Amino acid sequence: ALKVFAVQIDNTNNATDNCYLKIWTSPTATIGTDTPTVILMADAAKKVQYTFDTSFGLSQAHGVVVTTAGTTGGSAPEGSVTVRIMVED
C-alpha cells in the first residue's frame, strides 16, 4: 500500500474555479458516478498543501481534478492544475 504524507494542489491558473482532487483506489471507477476514496479542495487562484503527520494508506491511486464538489460531476477546470503527492511505498 502507498503511504500518503502530503498533497499539494496548485490551482493558481484558475482565477474563478475552485478545484477538487478526487482519488479512487479502483482502476475501473467512473468519474461522477463512483464515490472517491479521497476528495481535497483548492480554492480558486490558490496553492494549497495538505500534510498528514501519520500518513494514510491507499492500495493504489487513480485521480482526477474537477470543478464539481462532492462525489458527482466531472467538469475539468479551464486552466491547468498541478498536483504533487508525497508517498512512500
Side-chain angles (χ1 to χ4, degrees), residues 3-25:
K3 288 183 178 179
V4 178
F5 287 95
V7 176
Q8 182 186 74
I9 305 169
D10 184 348
N11 193 31
T12 54
N13 291 324
N14 292 289
T16 59
D17 289 330
N18 291 339
C19 285
Y20 302 85
L21 170 64
K22 299 181 182 184
I23 300 172
W24 292 265
T25 55

Side-chain angles (χ1 to χ4, degrees), residues 22-38 60-64 71 73:
K22 299 181 182 184
I23 300 172
W24 292 265
T25 55
S26 170
T28 60
T30 302
I31 298 167
T33 301
D34 293 330
T35 302
T37 306
V38 177
Q60 54 183 307
H62 304 272
V64 65
T71 58

